[in-house]
Amino acid sequence: DGASAPRASGPVEGDDSGNRKKKRRASTIAWIVALVALLGVGGVVAYNLVSGDDLGSSETQVSVPDVRDRPQAEAEQILEDAGFSVQVEEAADTDIERGNAIRTDPGTDSSVPEGSRITLFVSSGKEITEVPDLTGMNTEQAQRALSDVGLKLKSQVEEEPSDSVDAGKITSQSPGQGSQVSKGTEVAITVSTGAEKVRVPTVSGQQLDAARDNLEGAGFTVNVQMVDSTEPENQVLSASDEGTQQPKGSTITITVSRGNQFTMPNLQNRNIDEVEGLLKDAGWTGSNIQRDTVNTIDPLAIDRVVGQNDSPGSTVSKDATITVRVNVLGLP
């Protein structure tokens, strides 16, 4: 027939190829968009992990304020107002007044998350220590002993005489041994200058009782030494260190007469009847006169003392037997 054949209604080969290209391009774009989105989420997660925050949350960083030397209540309020939870601990401090803030942990100006717990250290005052016993030490030893326990020796040292503590040694201290004081406290001491010196009274010639009273009244101990003497009984003959300066409390020895001697008189050429009287006048208290006879033919020399055993001026016991040589009539 001369008529042309009708066109098919289905897609032609060229159209199928174009559609496939469009689909591939749309798929590629979708994958790129998905990959970019995934990378964005991963970056956010990584940032939060590095910064310490969980995904979807963030913590505010706060700087710790300086509360040093503020009263405890005020320091706590400042920290709480800054957004922190406060825990209080006490610590000894030599510079910060008791009850005031010393420091915080974390320290001042540290940057920490809001709501963190801050430890506030509050001063309990100076550290307490016990005062050692310094008596009997010299100043150098005392300084070392105090330093060992965190105390100081007061620079001004008092002095006083002492009968019981050697010169240069400590007699007393303040605060006393065993006192509980803050470290850094100064301890005052008093140092012995040795025994106080006192003038020894002059007591020679006094009676024993009077001399003893005078010496003991001046602060001395009295030692009595009795000796044979022609001086009256109980008369002080001498005293050690009399009239000099001596340590108070020292011992003074006094020599005291027993009063038991007399000085022998010269009996030569005296009549025997005079002898006893002469002896009594000299202080003799005895009763026995021994006569040794010497023969003479001189009638005028009879009963005359021509010798004596104890020479004139010698010291003799008051109750001694006296021996004299007396002339009697007879051939020599």
Side-chain angles (χ1 to χ4, degrees):
D1 294 345
S4 59
R7 182 174 293 180
S9 61
V12 296
E13 183 179 350
D15 289 339
D16 289 342
S17 174
N19 288 336
R20 285 196 297 272
K21 286 180 181 180
K22 288 180 180 179
K23 289 180 180 180
R24 283 198 299 270
R25 189 161 47 248
S27 176
T28 300
I29 291 172
W31 277 107
I32 291 172
V33 171
L35 180 60
V36 169
L38 181 61
L39 289 173
V41 172
V44 172
V45 172
Y47 172 79
N48 285 331
L49 289 174
V50 171
S51 65
D53 293 338
D54 293 333
L55 185 62
S57 68
S58 62
E59 293 183 345
T60 304
Q61 299 292 307
V62 182
S63 179
V64 178
D66 183 5
V67 295
R68 177 179 168 81
D69 210 14
R70 292 180 180 272
Q72 178 182 340
E74 182 182 339
E76 286 188 68
Q77 188 63 54
I78 291 172
L79 293 170
E80 288 172 356
D81 289 347
F84 298 111
S85 169
V86 181
Q87 175 181 321
V88 177
E89 291 187 13
E90 285 194 343
D93 193 281
T94 57
D95 299 321
I96 302 296
E97 182 181 347
R98 181 181 177 87
N100 283 7
I102 303 171
R103 59 185 174 86
T104 57
D105 184 21
T108 299
D109 295 333
S110 297
S111 183
V112 294
E114 185 178 8
S116 296
R117 173 167 291 187
I118 298 291
T119 301
L120 173 65
F121 291 92
V122 175
S123 174
S124 60
K126 295 181 179 180
E127 188 175 349
I128 302 300
T129 188
E130 185 173 298
V131 180
D133 183 11
L134 306 178
T135 53
M137 296 182 182
N138 58 35
T139 52
E140 184 179 350
Q141 292 168 332
Q143 194 164 25
R144 287 200 301 267
L146 292 173
S147 178
D148 288 344
V149 294
L151 301 176
K152 298 177 182 178
L153 179 64
K154 190 173 182 179
S155 58
Q156 184 178 354
V157 176
E158 300 294 332
E159 293 183 339
E160 68 176 1
S162 174
D163 298 336
S164 58
V165 180
D166 293 339
K169 300 296 181 65
I170 295 171
T171 59
S172 62
Q173 64 186 79
S174 179
Q177 174 197 3
S179 299
Q180 299 290 318
V181 298
S182 301
K183 282 193 174 182
T185 298
E186 288 189 337
V187 177
I189 60 173
T190 301
V191 176
S192 169
T193 56
E196 179 184 358
K197 288 194 173 183
V198 181
R199 183 182 179 277
V200 180
T202 300
V203 294
S204 293
Q206 296 179 1
Q207 285 294 295
L208 173 58
D209 289 344
R212 191 197 303 273
D213 288 345
N214 286 336
L215 290 168
E216 290 179 346
F220 297 104
T221 300
V222 179
N223 176 47
V224 178
Q225 183 177 353
M226 302 299 294
V227 296
D228 296 334
S229 172
T230 61
E231 297 299 326
E233 184 178 4
N234 289 330
Q235 180 175 309
V236 176
L237 304 178
S238 65
S240 62
D241 302 312
E242 192 173 46
T244 65
Q245 297 285 331
Q246 296 297 322
K248 192 174 184 179
S250 57
T251 299
I252 304 299
T253 298
I254 57 175
T255 303
V256 180
S257 171
R258 289 194 179 99
N260 62 343
Q261 293 181 327
F262 75 102
T263 300
M264 178 63 68
N266 187 0
L267 304 177
Q268 296 282 356
N269 294 319
R270 293 289 189 154
N271 190 286
I272 187 62
D273 293 336
E274 299 177 281
V275 168
E276 184 172 359
L278 291 170
L279 290 170
K280 294 292 186 181
D281 289 344
W284 183 61
T285 59
S287 58
N288 188 15
I289 299 176
Q290 180 73 41
R291 302 182 187 185
D292 290 343
T293 59
V294 178
N295 291 333
T296 182
I297 57 174
D298 182 359
L300 297 178
I302 294 172
D303 291 334
R304 295 282 180 183
V305 175
V306 294
Q308 59 191 93
N309 282 4
D310 299 298
S311 60
S314 63
T315 300
V316 182
S317 294
K318 286 184 175 181
D319 60 354
T321 296
I322 305 301
T323 300
V324 295
R325 292 185 296 280
V326 182
N327 283 335
V328 295
L329 184 60
L331 295 175

